[in-house]
Amino acid sequence: MGLVFGLLWLFNIFLEGIHCQGVYAPPTVRIIHSGHACNIEEERYTERVYTIREGETLELACLVSGHPRPQIRWTKTAGSASDRFQDSSVFNETLRIIRIQRHQGGRYYCKAENGLGSPAIKSIRVDVYYLDDPIVTVHQSIGEAKEQFYYERTVFLRCMANSNPPVHYSWRRGKEFLSQGSDKGVEIYEPFFTQGETKILKLKNLRPQDYANYSCIASVRNVCGIPEKNVLFKLSNKTASPTIKLLVEEPIVVNPGQSVTLVCVTSGGEPTPTLTWVRNTDELSKKSRLNGGTLTLPAISMEEAGVYSCVASNNVGNPAKKSTAIVVRGLKKGRFWITPDPYHNDDNIQIGREVKISCQVEATPPEELLFSWLKNGRPLRSSERMVITHTDPDVQPGTTNLDIIDLKFTDFGTYTCVAALKNGGIPEVSIDVNISSTTVPPELTVPRGKSPMVVQEGDTVDLQCLVSGKPKPIILWSRADKEVPMPDGSLQTESYDGVLRIVNVSREMTGTYRCATSQYNGFNVKPREALVELTVQYPPVVEPVFTEIRQGLGRAFTLNCRVLRAHPSKVLKYEWKLGTRLLTMGQFDQRDETDYNVRALNREGYGEYTCEVTNEAGVGACRFLVTGRAYAPEFYYDTYSALWQNRPRVYGFKLQWTQQNPLSVDRIVAYRLGMKQTGQSRWWEQEIPMEGAIAKGELITHNLTELIKPEAYLVRLTPITRFGEGDSTDRIIRYSAPVNPHLREFQCSFEDEAVCMFTQDKTDDFDWTRHSAATRDTKYTPNTGPSSDRAGSKQSFYMYIETSRPRLEGEKARLLTPTFNVAPKSPYGTVTAAPTYCFGFYYHMYGKHIGALNAYLRQKGHSGSDSSLWNLVGNQGDRWKQAKVNIHPIASFQLVLEGIRGPGIEGDIAIDDVTIEEGECKDPPPNSKCLMQWNIFFYSLLILLNLVMAF
């Protein structure tokens, strides 16, 4: 018989498990707005458009649900938003942009994820409205313009303004509004190619009355409170496009360090033109000074040379432009090279053969460049055997050649190339070239022991090529693979001593390097080359670098350290340590990983384990912190009506949480609860004991009382095991005023004595009663009614109908919600279509005499005709269940919950956690205590199986 009762009890637990899914839930997200919105519209059912005026503050809040608490990230147009608004707001629930600008409009996404299911993403489009000042430009028909711009017949006045939404233009002449057809001499039209962006006023066959003041009025029809803007243009027979003069010589040639002044004056134009200066279409240098049409460049440098333009504009015709060039004199980049006799296949200089010395200098201006030659300090003139030639002065850079025909012993000496500019003022550039029996072409070699070079990562290394010959040329270093850059990022590096120094060498720099002679400052012959191998050794790279492992006493676990890469990769050794104590050591064979096994963890086994992997270059280490610290609790933020008020000056809060990975460590015996008022330094602490093991997903509840209105509190929760304290979690609890019945979301769990402004129907037979399981007397009716509220707490409250005497069968009790206003969908406050709300509640209908529970919709203006939404009859078992239904009110409304007494006293009906949310109903949220139910079920199943085996 005991076995039978055991099986029945087990089956009941099994049913509880079926109805139980755990409080862990993937994220859901909803975007709401605050701040200075002009208008919120719904487009295409799913897209929300938020309209705001430029310069106002944008504020969007991302409301999330789900457990664990989802992490939130704001992005814009599917990319990171951090470059468009304050970084601090990217990962916060509220996105705030102060003084929003037009370029910050677009689609904003709120993404929430907590590791369960797919991330939840919602978006809203932000439309920034603005209106710039309009600009009027005036033109005359092409081909008719003469000296007096407006003496001819047809004139066009174009009005343009940047705006969002599209601008509406209107024209006024004096005080008279102009419209198409109001004046035969006036035509108003929009060019096809700029539809909606501009408005043109065409004055045909210009008449005396057309000389007047014209106003263009730009308007966006006062959306977002943006006022209209206008601009006035005076048209007269003197109106003319601008003309200007430059009071400077062309071009301007100066020496570095001199001050340059450019003067630009207007010679015509009505209205008076404005003058601006630009350089090569770019901005002026920061040290330049501008005063009207006068531009001053103090202490000019060669970098400031270029074309400077004066631009005059008065919005009549085309802007006038005059330009002048500033040339800053200078010499730079002097180089030379020696070319042996090209008619002999020999790179050496020999008596009786030809040799050419070339000298090259960059000059500004190039036509001022002058070259001269010296031999042993004395002037050298061109002759039959000493032929001096110069390249075209217009070809940059300037080059001069000295051809020595039939080289003789007396020709040996030092030749100097001297470059100068006409009229002086700039230091000369001189280059010395020695021609003698020791002048020989270069040769490149790599010193012994300098290739290959083997170094440690982080060292400084010198790659060296020895260059012989006279004169010694510049050495060019590059990678043998020409597409790979040098350590400094360039493709080629110059060296004057043949040494390439690399500081803080890294493993990516391993490879072959090429050194080659340059023709500059040396012989103009085929380049000499040599190769240097560089090998960079580095310590083993391992994983994991650091990881934390949480374990309870007596448990077994394995630590694994893996080598990802190393050079050299052979002769790898490893040592496992706990603190400084050596545990084991060895050498890698074919595997690239090593394990350390702990069979049964004891107290001495807690600490930091290190696996050190060693090669010639150094040590790589895996570190594991093995601890018995419990993981942090996870606060549950989706508690319905967590805050309640039952006394004037204080309030209470239902604090709920789950424990992250509770089975990873020893059993949690208690929680340390710390509290303090925000802004204060004093903490209050207490311990909350835990009976039995905590299951993963189990929702734990603790009621906070005596909280002072309207103070906010910082709450800190710390789990405690026999190891000691675990990780803490903080959250802020804020006081909020009673529920406003006109919000778009309503929640009530009846914790407040005011029961969220619910009222009893005065026309029913009896009332609903507010109760908690801790105060309810079940002596007379033990087989009906709930044993806790919907969340499993015996201290929390719910509403129920008491069906004991003197209640009679068929009597009704009706509970009315507050009156709700329908949220307008249009900007003008009218309901354009019936909105959708989700009405939800939990019910408990347990007992053999259960009657019925009904829900109705009552709307303003529909007196006496409540609409039936939902109904249920009969015993539904000793458990809380959820009901959800979509409603579509078109006027202010209330919801009615009606309980009907059944045929006997075991017919108590209870309700809890009533919600009204904007939008369609989604899947019902999961219940609590789930995994605990399943654990009890499976442990009990094992016990009963043992009993069966005993039989």
Side-chain angles (χ1 to χ4, degrees):
M1 181 64 70
L3 180 61
V4 173
F5 280 113
L7 288 171
L8 290 174
W9 174 73
L10 181 62
F11 182 69
N12 183 60
I13 294 177
F14 174 73
L15 291 177
E16 293 286 340
I18 290 176
H19 289 284
C20 192
Q21 303 173 14
V23 296
Y24 288 108
T28 63
V29 65
R30 188 159 60 92
I31 297 177
I32 64 172
H33 62 87
S34 57
H36 300 81
C38 304
N39 185 21
I40 307 294
E41 296 179 349
E42 305 285 342
E43 288 188 2
R44 297 188 295 278
Y45 306 103
T46 58
E47 183 178 32
R48 305 189 71 201
V49 181
Y50 180 109
T51 304
I52 187 171
R53 182 173 173 174
E54 187 174 49
E56 301 286 5
T57 297
L58 171 71
E59 208 167 274
L60 300 175
C62 191
L63 301 186
V64 298
S65 63
H67 188 71
R69 184 69 166 171
Q71 296 293 316
I72 295 172
R73 176 174 172 80
W74 283 97
T75 57
K76 183 184 178 206
T77 318
S80 174
S82 60
D83 60 339
R84 295 180 175 90
F85 47 84
Q86 296 88 338
D87 285 341
S88 60
S89 66
V90 175
F91 295 97
N92 289 342
E93 293 184 4
T94 300
L95 169 64
R96 182 179 175 86
I97 304 178
I98 300 173
R99 294 185 295 276
I100 190 169
Q101 300 301 306
R102 62 194 66 178
H103 70 273
Q104 293 173 306
R107 186 180 305 282
Y108 286 84
Y109 295 82
C110 174
K111 178 180 179 181
E113 52 188 336
N114 64 356
L116 299 178
S118 300
I121 301 175
K122 290 288 185 182
S123 69
I124 186 169
R125 199 178 84 215
V126 176
D127 208 0
V128 181
Y129 279 8
Y130 58 90
L131 174 62
D132 291 343
D133 291 328
I135 297 173
V136 170
T137 58
V138 184
H139 299 270
Q140 191 173 19
S141 56
I142 298 175
E144 298 181 2
K146 294 187 178 179
E147 291 183 2
Q148 278 297 314
F149 194 80
Y150 282 103
Y151 189 76
E152 289 296 319
R153 295 184 176 182
T154 304
V155 173
F156 301 89
L157 279 71
R158 170 177 286 180
C159 187
M160 291 177 290
N162 296 319
S163 74
N164 183 34
V167 68
H168 172 74
Y169 298 98
S170 57
W171 285 96
R172 192 168 59 198
R173 181 168 55 197
K175 297 182 178 180
E176 172 195 5
F177 275 98
L178 300 174
S179 59
Q180 185 65 28
S182 63
D183 186 331
K184 292 183 179 180
V186 175
E187 183 179 342
I188 301 174
Y189 67 95
E190 297 173 348
F192 176 75
F193 56 89
T194 56
Q195 189 75 20
E197 297 178 4
T198 182
K199 201 78 163 184
I200 292 180
L201 180 68
K202 181 179 180 181
L203 305 176
K204 301 178 292 183
N205 298 319
L206 203 63
R207 304 161 300 178
Q209 62 264 35
D210 292 330
Y211 295 117
N213 292 334
Y214 289 86
S215 297
C216 171
I217 300 98
S219 169
V220 289
R221 299 173 175 84
N222 205 38
V223 297
C224 284
I226 299 175
E228 65 182 23
K229 297 184 177 182
N230 63 79
V231 60
L232 177 68
F233 186 87
K234 183 177 181 181
L235 181 65
S236 70
N237 57 4
K238 296 182 180 179
T239 301
S241 57
T243 56
I244 55 176
K245 293 180 180 179
L246 288 183
L247 305 181
V248 294
E249 296 180 359
E250 173 71 22
I252 302 172
V253 181
V254 294
N255 291 333
Q258 290 183 332
S259 283
V260 178
T261 299
L262 305 178
V263 180
C264 178
V265 297
T266 59
S267 55
E270 178 68 30
T272 302
T274 57
L275 300 176
T276 57
W277 280 94
V278 294
R279 170 179 171 261
N280 298 338
T281 70
D282 295 328
E283 294 183 357
L284 301 173
S285 65
K286 293 183 179 180
K287 68 178 183 180
S288 62
R289 298 194 299 266
L290 188 61
N291 182 16
T294 301
L295 173 66
T296 301
L297 303 171
I300 196 167
S301 63
M302 294 188 70
E303 290 73 22
E304 293 176 284
V307 177
Y308 287 76
S309 300
C310 175
V311 181
S313 175
N314 65 352
N315 292 337
V316 178
N318 296 318
K321 181 178 179 181
K322 294 283 187 179
S323 301
T324 186
I326 297 180
V327 178
V328 181
R329 303 170 76 238
L331 297 170
K332 59 182 179 179
K333 289 187 179 179
R335 290 175 169 176
F336 75 92
W337 60 93
I338 302 170
T339 306
D341 192 337
Y343 300 104
H344 294 82
N345 189 18
D346 191 346
D347 292 341
N348 293 287
I349 297 175
Q350 296 186 22
I351 299 294
R353 293 184 180 177
E354 179 182 340
V355 63
K356 180 194 290 185
I357 306 173
S358 301
C359 176
Q360 188 178 81
V361 175
E362 292 186 11
T364 305
E367 62 271 14
E368 288 193 20
L369 178 61
L370 297 175
F371 280 114
S372 60
W373 285 89
L374 305 176
K375 179 184 177 183
N376 298 327
R378 296 180 178 181
L380 184 67
R381 298 182 180 279
S382 183
S383 64
E384 291 184 358
R385 275 198 334 103
M386 300 283 183
V387 180
I388 299 174
T389 58
H390 307 299
T391 59
D392 187 338
D394 292 331
V395 177
Q396 280 277 56
T399 306
T400 181
N401 300 306
L402 172 62
D403 276 300
I404 305 176
I405 311 299
D406 187 16
L407 182 67
K408 299 182 183 300
F409 181 78
T410 56
D411 294 329
F412 288 167
T414 300
Y415 292 84
T416 303
C417 164
V418 180
L421 294 181
K422 292 179 182 177
N423 304 320
I426 300 297
E428 297 177 338
V429 173
S430 61
I431 303 170
D432 292 334
V433 183
N434 185 264
I435 300 295
S436 69
S437 58
T438 60
T439 303
V440 293
E443 293 297 334
L444 273 183
T445 57
V446 178
R448 180 175 298 177
K450 292 295 185 178
S451 181
M453 294 286 290
V454 180
V455 296
Q456 306 285 319
E457 189 170 42
D459 290 348
T460 295
V461 61
D462 287 337
L463 304 185
Q464 185 176 5
C465 283
L466 290 180
V467 56
S468 61
K470 186 179 179 181
K472 291 184 179 180
I474 298 172
I475 302 300
L476 303 178
W477 284 93
S478 62
R479 298 291 287 264
D481 183 351
K482 295 183 179 180
E483 295 182 358
V484 179
M486 295 290 286
D488 62 358
S490 64
L491 292 177
Q492 191 169 262
T493 301
E494 290 186 355
S495 169
Y496 288 88
D497 59 1
V499 175
L500 174 65
R501 170 161 289 188
I502 305 176
V503 179
N504 192 22
V505 66
S506 65
R507 63 196 67 175
E508 295 81 12
M509 298 176 188
T510 294
T512 304
Y513 290 76
R514 175 187 289 112
C515 60
T517 59
S518 165
Q519 77 172 55
Y520 298 115
N521 296 2
F523 274 71
N524 182 20
V525 294
K526 182 179 179 180
R528 274 53 169 170
E529 295 183 355
L531 299 177
V532 178
E533 292 286 339
L534 175 63
T535 300
V536 181
Q537 294 183 341
Y538 54 90
V541 178
V542 297
E543 68 171 7
V545 175
F546 177 83
T547 188
E548 185 181 56
I549 297 175
R550 306 200 184 203
Q551 289 287 347
L553 291 171
R555 300 183 186 179
F557 59 92
T558 299
L559 305 178
N560 174 268
C561 182
R562 182 184 177 197
V563 179
L564 299 178
R565 54 190 174 275
H567 191 83
S569 58
K570 296 181 179 180
V571 198
L572 291 174
K573 299 178 181 180
Y574 65 84
E575 290 183 350
W576 282 96
K577 297 178 181 179
L578 174 56
T580 58
R581 179 163 59 93
L582 180 64
L583 301 174
T584 184
M585 59 187 298
Q587 186 167 317
F588 285 90
D589 43 24
Q590 299 299 320
R591 301 178 64 214
D592 59 359
E593 58 186 353
T594 174
D595 296 332
Y596 183 76
N597 299 309
V598 177
R599 292 186 174 85
L601 182 65
N602 54 30
R603 287 192 176 273
E604 290 72 25
Y606 287 122
E608 184 172 275
Y609 291 75
T610 305
C611 175
E612 294 183 346
V613 183
T614 308
N615 69 356
E616 294 179 17
V619 179
C622 298
R623 289 183 170 82
F624 307 86
L625 179 62
V626 178
T627 176
R629 288 172 60 91
Y631 285 96
E634 303 165 318
F635 281 117
Y636 187 63
Y637 287 82
D638 297 335
T639 304
Y640 286 121
S641 295
L643 186 145
W644 75 87
Q645 306 166 70
N646 49 18
R647 288 163 58 190
R649 293 185 178 86
V650 298
Y651 68 98
F653 191 88
K654 184 193 295 185
L655 189 69
Q656 293 186 305
W657 69 91
T658 59
Q659 177 59 42
Q660 184 183 169
N661 301 326
L663 304 179
S664 297
V665 295
D666 293 327
R667 184 179 73 83
I668 294 172
V669 297
Y671 285 92
R672 175 165 289 113
L673 175 67
M675 282 181 49
K676 71 168 186 174
Q677 288 186 16
T678 55
Q680 302 293 324
S681 58
R682 182 184 173 190
W683 285 85
W684 294 272
E685 289 190 346
Q686 71 174 100
E687 282 198 2
I688 306 171
M690 292 287 110
E691 299 295 334
I694 299 173
K696 183 175 177 61
E698 179 180 352
L699 190 62
I700 305 168
T701 301
H702 180 79
N703 289 326
L704 305 176
T705 57
E706 304 299 319
L707 305 179
I708 301 172
K709 297 180 183 177
E711 300 296 334
Y713 290 83
L714 173 63
V715 177
R716 177 170 295 162
L717 202 59
T718 308
I720 302 173
T721 66
R722 57 178 173 169
F723 176 86
E725 292 190 354
D727 295 342
S728 300
T729 302
D730 293 354
R731 74 167 290 184
I732 299 290
I733 293 173
R734 302 185 189 278
Y735 173 77
S736 58
V739 176
N740 182 343
H742 306 300
L743 292 179
R744 292 187 172 185
E745 180 176 320
F746 175 83
Q747 297 177 347
C748 183
S749 58
F750 305 110
E751 301 301 333
D752 188 355
E753 286 185 357
V755 292
C756 313
M757 301 167 63
F758 273 77
T759 56
Q760 307 281 353
D761 191 345
K762 296 180 181 179
T763 63
D764 58 7
D765 303 307
F766 66 108
D767 287 343
W768 288 77
T769 305
R770 177 176 174 267
H771 258 305
S772 70
T775 60
R776 180 170 173 264
D777 186 359
T778 59
K779 181 171 64 174
Y780 298 107
T781 55
N783 298 318
T784 188
S787 58
S788 67
D789 81 333
R790 198 281 302 178
S793 172
K794 292 185 180 297
Q795 285 75 37
S796 298
F797 290 87
Y798 54 85
M799 300 293 287
Y800 89 114
I801 60 170
E802 173 61 68
T803 57
S804 302
R805 294 181 180 84
R807 299 278 70 84
L808 301 176
E809 183 177 2
E811 288 187 339
K812 300 177 180 179
R814 282 191 290 271
L815 190 66
L816 309 179
T817 68
T819 300
F820 297 92
N821 295 330
V822 176
K825 297 283 185 172
S826 77
Y828 307 104
T830 59
V831 181
T832 57
T836 299
Y837 295 88
C838 179
F839 170 46
F841 60 92
Y842 282 85
Y843 61 89
H844 190 283
M845 300 172 67
Y846 170 56
K848 63 183 179 180
H849 300 139
I850 289 291
L853 179 61
N854 302 316
Y856 299 96
L857 175 65
R858 178 177 295 180
Q859 300 190 68
K860 184 177 181 180
H862 297 72
S863 57
S865 58
D866 293 348
S867 303
S868 176
L869 299 175
W870 181 92
N871 59 78
L872 192 63
V873 178
N875 183 5
Q876 304 298 316
D878 187 10
R879 66 182 62 88
W880 286 95
K881 298 182 179 180
Q882 189 181 29
K884 281 190 174 184
V885 61
N886 291 321
I887 60 174
H888 307 279
I890 59 174
S892 299
F893 66 94
Q894 288 178 289
L895 293 156
V896 183
L897 289 163
E898 179 185 71
I900 303 178
R901 202 254 194 192
I905 62 173
E906 295 183 9
D908 294 352
I909 298 174
I911 60 170
D912 200 1
D913 290 346
V914 178
T915 61
I916 302 170
E917 297 178 341
E918 188 179 21
E920 296 274 348
C921 289
K922 298 177 176 60
D923 294 335
N927 206 338
S928 61
K929 305 174 294 180
C930 306
L931 292 176
M932 179 64 80
Q933 294 282 6
W934 283 110
N935 288 337
I936 294 173
F937 167 71
F938 285 114
Y939 284 127
S940 304
L941 180 61
L942 289 174
I943 294 170
L944 288 173
L945 286 175
N946 287 329
L947 288 173
V948 172
M949 294 296 291
F951 277 99

